[in-house]
Amino acid sequence: MTAPRAAGPATAAPTAVVPYFQVHQPFRLRRYTYFDIGVDARWFDDAENERIVRRVAERCYVPTNALLLRLVEETEGRFRCAFSVSGTAIEQMERWAPEALEGFVALARTGCVEVLGETSHHSLAFLADDLEFRAQVADQAARVERVFGRRPTAFRNTELVIDEHVARTVEDLGFVALLGEGSDGLLGWRSPARVYGVEGCERLRLLLRHYRLSDDIAFRFSNRAWDQWPLTAEKFARSLAALPADDVAVNLFMDYETFGEHQWKETGIFDFLAAMPRAVLADPRFAFRTPTEVATAHAPAARLAIPHPISWADAERDLGAWLGNPMQRAANLALYALLPAVRASGRADLLAAWRRLSTSDHLYYMFTKRTSDGDVHEHFSPYASPHDAFIAFMNVLDDLERRAGAAAADATAAGTPPAGAVLPPAPARAPDPLTRPLPPPPATPAPGAAQPSKRSRRRVPRGG
Amino acid sequence: MRVLMLGWEFPPHISGGLGTACLGLTRGLAKVGVDVTFVVPKAFGDEDRGPTRVLGCNEVPVEVDEDDGEGPRGPAAAAARAARRRVLAVDSALLPYLSAEQYAARLAALEREAAEEEERAAAPAPAPAPVEHPDKARRVSVAKRPLSFAGFYGPDLMAEVERYAKVVEQVARAEAFDVVHAHDWMTYPAAARAAAASGKPLVVHVHACEYDRSGEHVNPAIVAIERAGLAAAHRVVAVSHFTAGILRRRYGVPAEKLRVVHNAVTRREQREGWHVEKPAGGPVVLFLGRVTFQKGPVYFLEAAARVVRVLPDVRFVMSGSGDMLPAMVERAAAMGLARHVRFTGFLSGADVERMFALADLYVMPSVSEPFGISPLEAMAQDVPVIVSRQSGVAEVLASALKVDFWDVEDLANKIVAVLRRPALRQVLTAGGRAEVEGMRWEARAAQLATLYAEVAA
């Protein structure tokens, strides 16, 4: 592997192109009824989860991993990218699609692919429970290190949600870069293709998604009504070349399932991806970089204030997709209200189940807005309706509450030590590498050095 | 564009979705500039029908359009719309959804009524009040009516359908129109004759078919009439994709002839509902409709039995009458639900609205429901709704819970969820109200106007 070469006449640093792919699978629930409460502790639909992860592995993960590996090799490391792979996705691949996970590991080993940090369960814990958020982040960091061989240094929150609180917490945990949505509301006249700081943070760099160019690939690629259809690698390279000269980092963030799942193979998406890196690299102005590389190479162009959470979902780029209606808010409230009891039960299995319920997809399935966005949600929901999603989720919570209460009562009766004592060590309490100062990442990765890989993010939960 | 429409009486004269739909469509058509001559069967006394009458046909004044808030307002606009609608009542004992047995019973009732009238007329009595409305007109002088109604109306249902067709054919010869449009099977023979006599295209509108009403135990004579009407039609309008599917599969109607025009809601149904003082006690889950095979009352009881196991204070109310009502009363008792289930019998008009206002949840577990307007009436009164997926209305509603009618476990689970989860209720009622307000007959009428232009061209 070679370091990126400066092609053409030596100029200022090249403009970075930063592809990042989100990989996530939730643990979907069974159609759990009110009559199952207290009777049946099988909350999750293993058959369905297995079916979906295998399908997505076959259509997307396995072929795309192979293609990206080939691109890294053929460009001698000049093609670089990042992934986030949620803890639940890793767990599902370990159980049901190990060949897909091996592909990600192989990519990470090239040193050209960074794996990002995130919450282990693709949760919205940062909103409700700081301790839980930190625990899930630490859990995921440990998992990424175990699976991919390197602790993450760049962070992306669930569905790319950022605000100042998230930024400060993430900086406190030792990350150097945070990924976010380049929303118009946040940026105003500013370009998404600059590196920013965040109000209240010292070292943390913010990388913002270039939504127009990202969505050209993720959403519009197969849209025949789009005036740019069909999108070719050359056309895409021309769009890049048309960007202002002072843009330093074009962040192409998208669901990994864009390749082969959202955009089917028949649309030509794989041909596009295969040709894109060389088309981009043909212009000496551009070089591929990973988020940590970009964050450490540039001083912030400005410090942004982010008082309200911003996500990459839907037209509003807010949290409406997860907490927009009364069902979603009631479900989220009930979920976090249950957390103390689950902790107090001392039951690792209940905490594990609770964490799977904290996956934001469950809330996303309850989205009710009927718009073109609503169609997107419906497409990815395993439920016939958002109401059905709410009904099953609340029934499971009731059951979990009952079991947590019973376990706590048993523990009290047996005189066992107080709640929490028999919990598995919470990752946050383990000696936490995230709180150690990180060695300054090299501005240019040394040849052959293992590169932190990024995590992929996904736009919407996928379902059957 | 002038349409000769063979339909059914408007509410409140009859119950059922058919009259409601006819009212909504004709009002909507008037607003989109279509002239409608609306022909309805109606049992009259033998009163003098006046010079405008054409062979058993009476012109009925169109009620002044209540201001329903749609389109131009004011009496002038309402009068202009009314001018686009004429209603002709043809003397006939037909009612929609009538079985052969019910027809015989109806004839007997009409005869009894006539005999009583005659007795009264024979006795010295004050002169009858001036006629204001055909309904009241029926009350007066029957002396010239042959005592045996069977001698005037058809001796059985099929004969009456045929007699009605002959009369309508005569009506059609005296009218000018561009399209004939018929609603449900009893009017198909009449419409086919009217179309043939005039050489105008025929549109057949299916609100329900025999397979909806009777499952596999269909009346072959009715199916034969339906088939003939569908075959004669230039276009077939189905009230849902669900019904269109049945028409394709069971009747072989070619897809290119089929169009789907969903039903909508009139402003009357959208109006703020009754606010009643709810009696003390647990929440009320309501079934309201004909207690027949088609409406799935048995699944309502099966779900009730499951719900009361976990929520013992819930009250289930079954409103309506029908051939399965006695069996349902017995079944509820046998299932140990006597404390939990109440039967109100048939409700109409304001009682229906009051019942909705009392309900915490409306359930429509229909086995086969071409459309189903009653859930919309419930939603208009902020009552959450569960409908079967085997209904046309399920196609157009997002803010309703949906179940397969046979899945009583799922139905029970969803009943409990609505009663136990306030957030779910809130989303269903708020979303439901918004959806109902968005369903306008005018938009449906515009679809029909396009279709008329297509066939008349």
Side-chain angles (χ1 to χ4, degrees):
Chain A
M1 194 117 345
T2 58
R5 293 173 299 209
T11 56
T15 300
V17 176
V18 188
Y20 148 67
F21 308 113
Q22 165 176 294
V23 179
H24 170 59
Q25 292 296 333
F27 280 92
R28 298 164 196 83
L29 295 171
R30 283 202 308 122
R31 198 187 76 179
Y32 194 90
T33 75
Y34 197 81
F35 306 99
D36 293 325
I37 296 170
V39 178
D40 196 333
R42 288 171 302 142
W43 303 298
F44 300 98
D45 191 340
D46 277 354
E48 181 70 356
N49 291 322
E50 174 176 358
R51 185 185 71 79
I52 291 173
V53 77
R54 278 178 187 271
R55 186 194 69 198
V56 177
E58 185 188 330
R59 286 192 197 164
C60 166
Y61 300 162
V62 170
T64 317
N65 286 344
L67 173 57
L68 292 181
L69 189 61
R70 206 185 78 211
L71 289 170
V72 170
E73 285 166 355
E74 287 177 1
T75 61
E76 298 177 319
R78 293 174 69 206
F79 175 71
R80 317 173 77 79
C81 65
F83 283 94
S84 68
V85 190
S86 69
T88 51
I90 291 174
E91 197 181 330
Q92 290 193 14
M93 284 190 280
E94 283 173 339
R95 281 172 74 178
W96 295 312
E99 70 286 3
L101 190 58
E102 283 159 21
F104 289 113
V105 171
L107 280 167
R109 283 210 195 101
T110 64
C112 300
V113 174
E114 178 175 359
V115 181
L116 308 187
E118 64 181 313
T119 57
S120 55
H121 285 72
H122 201 84
S123 73
L124 301 177
F126 68 97
L127 284 175
D129 194 307
D130 202 51
L131 268 182
E132 177 64 16
F133 177 69
R134 288 169 182 263
Q136 289 197 10
V137 172
D139 184 33
Q140 179 69 2
R143 194 185 317 243
V144 167
E145 186 170 30
R146 170 173 66 79
V147 175
F148 300 107
R150 173 104 189 188
R151 290 194 78 82
T153 52
F155 188 84
R156 68 109 220 177
N157 200 13
T158 300
E159 304 298 349
L160 236 50
V161 176
I162 51 168
D163 66 5
E164 287 166 19
H165 169 70
V166 169
R168 279 196 294 270
T169 308
V170 164
E171 184 177 66
D172 182 45
L173 290 172
F175 290 96
V176 298
L178 174 65
L179 280 63
E181 172 68 21
S183 81
D184 297 336
L186 173 65
L187 284 167
W189 55 269
R190 299 175 192 277
S191 165
R194 309 293 294 273
V195 174
Y196 291 100
V198 181
E199 209 59 66
C201 292
E202 294 301 320
R203 295 171 301 127
L204 189 74
R205 299 286 182 269
L206 188 61
L207 305 186
L208 297 173
R209 189 173 83 109
H210 198 292
Y211 67 78
R212 182 173 60 82
L213 289 172
S214 301
D215 290 347
D216 280 356
I217 301 171
F219 287 138
R220 286 182 283 274
F221 184 81
S222 60
N223 181 359
R224 287 169 185 253
W226 178 37
D227 61 1
Q228 294 301 303
W229 186 89
L231 182 65
T232 61
E234 291 69 32
K235 207 182 274 182
F236 187 75
R238 282 200 296 278
S239 302
L240 284 177
L243 291 173
D246 53 357
D247 277 355
V248 299
V250 184
N251 300 312
L252 304 173
F253 301 169
M254 64 197 74
D255 281 334
Y256 199 38
E257 288 86 347
T258 298
F259 305 98
E261 179 77 10
H262 302 345
Q263 310 287 351
W264 293 358
K265 184 178 173 221
E266 291 71 24
T267 65
I269 190 74
F270 288 111
D271 299 329
F272 169 83
L273 183 58
M276 189 269 284
R278 266 180 296 257
V280 170
L281 291 170
D283 184 340
R285 179 184 159 194
F286 294 104
F288 288 97
R289 292 287 183 269
T290 70
T292 296
E293 289 169 353
V294 170
T296 51
H298 294 277
R303 228 173 256 285
L304 300 181
I306 321 174
H308 307 294
I310 294 166
S311 80
W312 71 347
D314 300 336
E316 290 79 10
R317 306 286 203 264
D318 59 11
L319 293 173
W322 300 275
L323 297 170
N325 72 40
M327 292 190 298
Q328 295 171 311
R329 290 191 290 270
N332 192 54
L333 211 61
L335 175 72
Y336 283 92
L338 183 56
L339 182 54
V342 170
R343 285 179 180 142
S345 74
R347 288 262 302 267
D349 59 330
L350 297 185
L351 183 64
W354 184 92
R355 287 203 165 139
R356 286 182 179 185
L357 295 175
S358 76
T359 299
S360 64
D361 303 54
H362 298 297
L363 295 174
Y364 204 92
Y365 299 144
M366 301 172 197
F367 187 70
T368 47
K369 205 166 40 150
R370 288 184 104 190
T371 60
S372 54
D373 284 340
D375 296 340
V376 170
H377 293 246
E378 220 163 290
H379 177 69
F380 291 114
S381 173
Y383 295 97
S385 81
H387 315 101
D388 290 9
F390 174 75
I391 291 169
F393 186 84
M394 295 304 283
N395 289 339
V396 170
L397 275 193
D398 277 6
D399 186 65
L400 200 56
E401 181 173 22
R402 217 182 256 220
R403 288 172 201 279
D410 288 350
T412 310
T416 31
V422 288
L423 272 183
R429 285 183 301 187
D432 188 358
L434 283 176
T435 55
R436 324 180 279 239
L438 286 172
T444 305
Q451 198 55 31
S453 57
K454 324 247 164 165
R455 321 210 127 207
S456 65
R457 78 40 138 169
R458 63 201 263 270
R459 174 72 167 248
V460 269
R462 48 213 43 81
Chain B
M1 178 66 60
R2 296 158 303 172
V3 178
L4 182 72
M5 187 176 282
L6 306 187
W8 300 94
E9 270 191 291
F10 301 147
H13 302 292
I14 58 158
S15 69
L18 199 43
T20 312
C22 285
L23 176 65
L25 280 177
T26 54
R27 273 192 188 155
L29 286 168
K31 282 174 200 157
V32 297
V34 174
D35 290 314
V36 178
T37 299
F38 193 79
V39 181
V40 293
K42 196 173 182 66
F44 284 113
D46 196 20
E47 74 278 8
D48 178 13
R49 294 179 177 89
T52 59
R53 179 163 173 262
V54 191
L55 191 63
C57 163
N58 220 8
E59 183 142 4
V60 177
V62 174
E63 88 280 19
V64 174
D65 231 348
E66 54 187 276
D67 189 357
D68 57 8
E70 295 176 48
R73 285 162 187 272
R81 286 200 296 271
R84 294 197 164 274
R85 289 190 288 149
R86 287 170 64 225
V87 178
L88 298 178
V90 169
D91 199 347
S92 170
L94 291 181
L95 285 180
Y97 311 122
L98 215 53
S99 69
E101 298 74 37
Q102 287 163 333
Y103 177 77
R106 178 163 160 78
L107 269 194
L110 284 171
E111 284 190 30
R112 208 163 44 242
E113 202 178 315
E116 285 164 13
E117 292 283 352
E118 198 172 20
E119 273 171 35
R120 264 200 294 278
V131 175
E132 291 164 24
H133 194 281
D135 263 6
K136 291 178 184 158
R138 193 172 45 159
R139 304 269 164 241
V140 304
S141 160
V142 290
K144 280 169 278 175
R145 161 74 78 195
L147 248 184
S148 168
F149 272 79
F152 181 77
Y153 297 127
D156 60 50
L157 182 58
M158 293 303 159
E160 179 58 14
V161 168
E162 182 56 24
R163 194 193 66 81
Y164 180 69
K166 283 185 186 147
V167 180
V168 169
E169 185 182 349
Q170 296 306 312
V171 173
R173 288 186 194 282
E175 295 288 326
F177 52 87
D178 305 302
V179 177
V180 183
H181 184 162
H183 297 274
D184 274 8
W185 75 271
M186 285 184 202
T187 65
Y188 293 170
R193 280 178 187 243
S198 60
K200 300 298 183 185
L202 171 62
V203 175
V204 155
H205 201 133
V206 183
H207 299 263
C209 63
E210 180 62 7
Y211 288 95
D212 295 313
R213 289 182 293 264
S214 308
E216 294 303 319
H217 311 287
V218 293
N219 179 332
I222 294 177
V223 171
I225 288 177
E226 288 178 328
R227 281 183 189 280
L230 294 166
H234 293 73
R235 287 287 184 281
V236 174
V237 177
V239 291
S240 62
H241 295 286
F242 174 78
T243 292
I246 293 175
L247 295 176
R248 270 197 311 273
R249 287 193 307 275
R250 299 279 199 171
Y251 295 85
V253 178
E256 58 274 15
K257 247 167 81 166
L258 270 171
R259 298 286 185 277
V260 172
V261 177
H262 287 113
N263 286 335
V265 196
T266 59
R267 278 291 177 143
R268 188 185 63 78
E269 290 151 18
Q270 290 173 8
R271 200 177 299 150
E272 189 79 14
W274 290 72
H275 291 284
V276 293
E277 214 46 54
K278 295 195 183 190
V284 173
V285 180
L286 175 66
F287 171 104
L288 193 151
R290 281 174 294 123
V291 185
T292 59
F293 159 81
Q294 184 191 349
K295 302 294 181 180
V298 66
Y299 305 102
F300 183 73
L301 293 185
E302 289 290 340
R306 286 161 174 78
V307 171
V308 298
R309 262 180 244 153
V310 293
L311 300 177
D313 67 334
V314 179
R315 293 172 292 178
F316 290 83
V317 175
M318 187 172 279
S319 285
S321 59
D323 56 10
M324 283 180 77
L325 181 56
M328 290 303 103
V329 176
E330 287 170 24
R331 183 153 186 163
M335 292 168 82
L337 290 171
R339 274 180 50 244
H340 303 283
V341 184
R342 291 285 176 276
F343 297 87
T344 67
F346 179 76
L347 298 182
S348 66
D351 287 338
V352 171
E353 296 187 17
R354 236 175 259 132
M355 197 63 239
F356 276 129
L358 274 173
D360 296 279
L361 170 63
Y362 177 66
V363 177
M364 187 184 79
S366 297
V367 171
S368 182
E369 186 72 64
F371 191 79
I373 278 185
S374 58
L376 305 183
E377 297 176 308
M379 289 162 82
Q381 298 205 45
D382 289 334
V383 179
V385 161
I386 302 177
V387 298
S388 79
R389 290 197 184 93
Q390 289 66 41
S391 72
V393 75
E395 294 167 15
V396 295
L397 286 183
S399 299
L401 300 183
K402 293 162 199 172
V403 296
D404 292 315
F405 72 82
W406 62 84
D407 194 344
V408 292
E409 292 285 345
D410 193 30
L411 176 55
N413 178 43
K414 284 175 173 160
I415 290 172
V416 173
V418 171
L419 300 179
R420 287 268 291 118
R421 316 280 184 207
L424 179 60
R425 277 203 301 283
Q426 195 185 340
V427 165
L428 290 175
T429 53
R433 172 165 285 271
E435 279 191 74
V436 169
E437 280 169 4
M439 291 179 195
R440 291 274 195 275
W441 280 112
E442 204 173 331
R444 312 302 196 222
Q447 287 174 270
L448 282 183
T450 308
L451 186 146
Y452 294 151
E454 221 175 279
V455 292

